[in-house]
Amino acid sequence: MTSLTQRSSGLVQRRTEASRSAATDKDRGSGDEDFEPRRGDEQDEEEKGDSKETRLTLMEEVLLLGLKDREGYTSFWNDCISSGLRGCMLIELALRGRLQLEACGMRRKSLLARKVICKSDAPTGDVLLDEALKHIKETQPPETVQSWIELLSGETWNPLKLHYQLRNVRERLAKNLVEKGVLTTEKQNFLLFDMTTHPLTNNNIKQRLIKKVQESVLERWVNDPQRMDKRLLSLIFLAHSSDVLENAFAPLLDEQYDLAMKRVRQLLDLEPEGEGAKANANELLWAVVAAFTK
């Protein structure tokens, strides 16, 4: 945990960024809360004031939270982000109307026992998402959420299913962020080898992302997951599962940090089966949550 001095300076930076974007946020109004795709359209409307290039997918947001700003790479000790990014893909495809869970049937199968079904194979415009969607559509019999997270991560003992693995995901996502003007590309020498890194070049976008996560559990906390925006709720769960959520809360003052973590714990303590059965809930979203919290 960072010192109070470090958090105070980080909070000042966050508030400075917030004041810069206040006018834009005011113009966006309540539309900033609605991240759900409309009329089945895959376009995200989360940042109506932004250009198309700065609209980030769940995978890109989680990776951006995990990247070290100056170094341009994720922590070498983080062994959770790989599977977390695959969970992001499944939820992203579900929110865009491409995937759903099979019907629960008379026996009321659990979320983790139900298969993932392709609802629509319309291209999303994102290469990684389309690659994952193609695998899911063509696989018979269908697989469960837990199986797809393992298959897309390459964490399977079945050599016949290794072709499902999506390779170089972090590097490909970083290149997407380079194209969107968020990161840049550099080469760094690590004694015995050179490594491509992607340092942060547009701090405004990352600060806005951090501010959005912080406010979701502080100023805009509603104490009801069904009233929270599904995309933002997913981001909190997947950032935690990817072990990068701490990075968003580190700049907070001690009291704010403790309150934020307390409310995140409340979300983590929810029962996915019960939440997924509620009206207007996205079942696949809660199935991914169940896969990471079981």
Side-chain angles (χ1 to χ4, degrees):
M1 187 180 297
T2 56
S3 67
L4 181 58
T5 302
Q6 290 174 314
R7 286 187 181 166
S8 298
S9 62
L11 187 61
V12 169
Q13 182 182 18
R14 182 176 70 87
R15 285 175 175 167
T16 302
E17 174 56 30
S19 63
R20 287 198 196 107
S21 58
T24 307
D25 290 341
K26 184 176 180 181
D27 292 340
R28 282 197 295 264
S30 60
D32 200 38
E33 293 296 310
D34 183 11
F35 295 81
E36 285 294 301
R38 298 178 182 178
R39 300 182 302 277
D41 188 5
E42 64 272 10
Q43 292 290 340
D44 291 332
E45 297 296 338
E46 61 179 298
E47 298 291 352
K48 292 187 177 181
D50 287 342
S51 64
K52 182 177 179 181
E53 287 72 28
T54 56
R55 294 175 189 155
L56 308 182
T57 64
L58 278 174
M59 304 95 71
E60 291 166 348
E61 288 180 326
V62 168
L63 181 67
L64 188 56
L65 287 176
L67 279 176
K68 299 175 184 291
D69 292 358
R70 293 183 179 180
E71 294 85 347
Y73 51 82
T74 56
S75 171
F76 293 124
W77 308 108
N78 189 336
D79 58 355
C80 305
I81 195 169
S82 179
S83 57
L85 290 173
R86 273 63 175 189
C88 287
M89 293 177 191
L90 296 178
I91 292 181
E92 185 78 45
L93 287 168
L95 294 180
R96 295 187 184 205
R98 302 306 194 275
L99 299 179
Q100 64 183 18
L101 290 184
E102 65 176 348
C104 58
M106 297 294 292
R107 299 180 117 186
R108 299 294 301 179
K109 290 183 181 178
S110 69
L111 293 172
L112 293 180
R114 293 160 64 183
K115 310 295 186 181
V116 179
I117 305 298
C118 179
K119 183 179 179 182
S120 168
D121 62 354
T124 66
D126 183 283
V127 175
L128 276 171
L129 290 178
D130 288 341
E131 189 175 338
L133 182 61
K134 182 174 183 291
H135 285 319
I136 294 171
K137 177 193 173 186
E138 295 177 352
T139 299
Q140 294 298 329
E143 300 280 357
T144 63
V145 161
Q146 182 72 61
S147 294
W148 275 119
I149 292 174
E150 295 171 356
L151 291 172
L152 296 175
S153 303
E155 298 174 358
T156 175
W157 294 101
N158 188 341
L160 298 178
K161 294 186 176 183
L162 286 176
H163 66 283
Y164 289 123
Q165 180 182 5
L166 299 181
R167 301 182 184 278
N168 304 317
V169 167
R170 271 177 272 189
E171 178 65 20
R172 293 162 73 180
L173 288 174
K175 287 182 178 178
N176 287 348
L177 290 170
V178 170
E179 293 176 0
K180 293 179 179 182
V182 183
L183 306 177
T184 187
T185 302
E186 293 182 357
K187 288 280 188 181
Q188 288 194 29
N189 181 270
F190 289 86
L191 297 179
L192 299 178
F193 61 95
D194 289 333
M195 186 174 84
T196 301
T197 60
H198 300 281
L200 185 68
T201 186
N202 189 331
N203 191 53
N204 290 339
I205 292 178
K206 183 164 185 177
Q207 287 303 313
R208 187 185 307 148
L209 172 62
I210 291 174
K211 175 175 174 282
K212 179 174 69 173
V213 174
Q214 291 174 345
E215 289 186 344
S216 69
V217 292
L218 292 174
E219 291 90 341
R220 299 184 181 183
W221 176 249
V222 294
N223 200 30
D224 180 2
Q226 298 302 325
R227 291 171 54 202
M228 292 181 69
D229 171 74
K230 291 182 176 63
R231 180 175 291 275
L232 188 52
L233 180 67
S234 303
L235 176 59
I236 294 173
F237 276 118
L238 272 300
H240 178 271
S241 300
S242 303
D243 199 20
V244 300
L245 187 59
E246 170 75 17
N247 298 344
F249 294 155
L252 293 173
L253 296 172
D254 283 344
E255 290 184 0
Q256 293 175 311
Y257 177 89
D258 292 340
L259 179 59
M261 293 306 296
K262 176 183 177 182
R263 288 172 171 172
V264 168
R265 177 52 57 187
Q266 290 178 23
L267 292 176
L268 296 174
D269 288 341
L270 292 171
E271 177 51 55
E273 293 290 342
E275 297 299 326
K278 293 180 179 179
N280 299 322
N282 187 303
E283 293 181 315
L284 197 145
L285 185 162
W286 288 105
V288 172
V289 171
F292 284 109
T293 59
K294 67 184 180 65

